[in-house]
Amino acid sequence: MSIDVAAARADTVGTGHVTHLDNAGSSLMPRTVADTVVAHLRREEQIGGYRAAAESAGRLAEVYSSLARLIGATPEEIAVLESGSSAWATAVSALPLTAPRVLLSRTEYWHNLLVLRRLADRRRLELVVLDDDASGRVDLGHLQRELDREDVGLVALTHVPMAGAQVQPAAEVGRRCRAAGATFVLDACQSVGQLPLDVGELGCDMLVGTGRKFLRGPRGTAFVHVRREVLDRLEPALRDRRSAADGSGRTEARMLESWETSVAGRLGLGRAADHALGLGLEAIQARVTALAGVLGARLAEVATVTVHGETPPGSGTVMFSVRDLPAEQVRAQLAARTINVSTAALPPPDTGSVLDPGGPRPPVAVRASVHYFNTEDEIDRLVRALRRAPPRAHRGPARGH
Ligand SMILES: Cc1ncc(COP(=O)(O)O)c(C=O)c1O
């Protein structure tokens, strides 16, 4: 089934206000997600937060089922947290990690790297950055050689990088980690909501997703999946009163949550998962990758533009630079024309800058990212704006997420 783009746009208020090409940063919520959040806040206003939460207990429980369905997990394996970074840090820090070596890809998300570096210092672990293959994806031969040493405790992979469209061979990495008995954590913050995900097929022990990007959830929402067999091994730093076990006495991933949370945000996140499932992740992926192909090709036709990364892109993000114009100025000029893009350091950015802070800084480029509700007309709008002479310089924040 293909996406009804006109219906998707009618269901997305923001498409009437902006040309939103920043879905890798923070997408536009569909109407039903925003309505869910606002309706709950109204109930909190009317009857108080605790009673409003009690009234929504059934729907809150369904949030876990929705997220579990989205990635082929069970509700007990899901915890909801407030950001992808904190979800990743909380879950990975709770792993006992008995084997001393940790493998990571060159495009691992920078915050994950900071956490790993801290863990490595405290627990005397060795971080090993895996080579890329000719396509720029993780070199599976290098991965296998490291796994064969039988001293790898953890493998960390970012499925789709913050600054690019390249999809890592996560299922193959998962298969090899499973065979070697190494714990595999997959950062799916840029893939959830635009690619079909199934934790069984991916072979991961942990998967982290954030709400506001391609999943189109509210800001301040994220989730982590922890495989049933790994849950019993977790040693979270903090356990508060709701976080112990399900009725059967078995540990639940919810032990990673803190008790206080945005209930409205959680309900919105569950709604966003249902919405994506309703459209179908295969259909979303097909539309997003086709549109990203158009975006990359049209940008490449602009004489002053350099497109980075492989074409056609494997997912929704295209990185590009404009001759003689810093990325942040391009972003600001486009924002002035109600076209939303963001900026990000080109891959492989973070392994170098985090593990070698004195090393060369990676260049920053413009990040344009499409979702299924975008249109070719919007891409043409972007291209026309880039062809015009740039207005004067503007200063603003330098880094996207
Ligand atoms: C690949 C990747 N992982 C993790 C994150 C962190 O997610 P959050 O901003 O929700 O902490 C981001 C955010 O940009 C990301 O791109």
Side-chain angles (χ1 to χ4, degrees):
M1 209 176 69
S2 62
I3 303 276
D4 180 342
V5 178
R9 292 179 73 77
D11 197 30
T12 305
V13 172
T15 58
H17 297 265
V18 285
T19 294
H20 193 75
L21 299 170
D22 190 21
N23 299 287
S26 179
S27 189
L28 298 174
M29 283 183 280
R31 204 182 288 270
T32 175
V33 171
D35 286 351
T36 299
V37 174
V38 172
H40 188 79
L41 289 176
R42 285 273 170 252
R43 284 308 276 163
E44 289 188 351
E45 180 187 36
Q46 288 159 3
I47 63 171
Y50 287 4
R51 279 192 54 200
E55 197 178 75
S56 301
R59 282 192 298 127
L60 269 170
E62 283 166 18
V63 170
Y64 295 87
S65 317
S66 299
L67 292 167
R69 253 199 328 279
L70 186 68
I71 58 166
T74 63
E76 299 74 36
E77 294 173 311
I78 303 286
V80 180
L81 288 100
E82 74 278 8
S83 77
S85 306
S86 65
W88 199 97
T90 306
V92 171
S93 306
L95 280 169
L97 291 184
T98 40
R101 283 157 63 81
V102 174
L103 311 183
L104 48 119
S105 63
R106 278 160 64 79
T107 49
E108 191 59 27
Y109 184 60
W110 63 274
H111 190 271
N112 304 348
L113 268 166
L114 289 177
V115 175
L116 284 178
R117 205 178 53 179
R118 217 172 309 130
L119 278 180
D121 288 348
R122 286 211 197 119
R123 302 196 204 168
R124 296 173 189 275
L125 306 172
E126 186 191 349
L127 300 186
V128 179
V129 180
L130 293 169
D131 295 336
D132 281 346
D133 66 13
S135 77
R137 292 174 181 77
V138 67
D139 181 338
L140 294 169
H142 188 193
L143 169 74
Q144 193 59 53
R145 285 194 300 284
E146 296 294 340
L147 289 173
D148 288 345
R149 291 180 42 154
E150 297 182 355
D151 58 356
V152 173
L154 179 71
V155 176
L157 185 72
T158 292
H159 200 190
V160 173
M162 179 177 87
Q166 204 171 51
V167 184
Q168 292 278 10
E172 188 51 34
V173 172
R175 197 183 62 72
R176 290 168 190 243
C177 288
R178 203 55 77 81
T183 303
F184 173 34
V185 53
L186 184 66
D187 178 333
C189 286
Q190 289 289 355
S191 52
V192 69
Q194 66 160 325
L195 305 182
L197 300 177
D198 182 294
V199 290
E201 279 168 25
L202 292 164
C204 53
D205 296 291
M206 292 179 163
L207 179 146
V208 174
T210 195
R212 73 183 183 283
K213 298 180 184 289
F214 288 95
L215 193 50
R216 308 186 64 196
R219 292 203 61 178
T221 59
F223 68 93
V224 55
H225 151 267
V226 185
R227 195 161 69 87
R228 172 78 258 158
E229 291 72 13
V230 177
L231 269 176
D232 295 323
R233 303 205 321 252
L234 287 192
E235 294 165 1
L238 283 176
R239 268 177 190 246
D240 70 26
R241 62 190 152 114
R242 63 166 273 164
S243 34
D246 67 10
S248 66
R250 291 197 313 178
T251 320
E252 288 188 305
R254 278 169 235 197
M255 72 177 145
L256 299 171
E257 298 175 353
S258 59
W259 184 80
E260 177 53 4
T261 186
S262 163
V263 175
R266 278 188 180 198
L267 293 171
L269 180 66
R271 195 70 207 94
D274 290 341
H275 192 259
L277 285 163
L279 290 170
L281 272 302
E282 278 81 10
I284 292 175
Q285 178 184 27
R287 166 88 186 150
V288 169
T289 47
L291 215 47
V294 173
L295 173 63
R298 301 248 166 106
L299 284 172
E301 288 165 7
V302 183
T304 52
V305 167
T306 303
V307 176
H308 308 284
E310 62 188 11
T311 45
S315 58
T317 297
V318 177
M319 302 295 298
F320 67 94
S321 304
V322 180
R323 195 195 304 146
D324 298 333
L325 209 53
E328 181 47 33
Q329 281 185 35
V330 177
R331 186 206 62 74
Q333 287 169 20
L334 292 171
R337 298 192 158 117
T338 68
I339 300 172
N340 294 349
V341 294
S342 47
T343 61
L346 283 173
D350 296 322
T351 336
S353 54
V354 174
L355 298 180
D356 175 19
R361 299 272 106 193
V364 173
V366 185
R367 177 175 66 176
S369 46
V370 288
H371 217 324
Y372 58 82
F373 57 76
N374 288 123
T375 61
E376 292 197 24
D377 282 351
E378 289 184 307
I379 292 172
D380 288 340
R381 242 196 115 215
L382 168 71
V383 167
R384 276 199 305 279
L386 290 170
R387 283 204 160 107
R388 285 198 196 115
R392 68 192 149 72
H394 171 98
R395 287 190 186 281
R399 182 153 200 165
H401 285 280

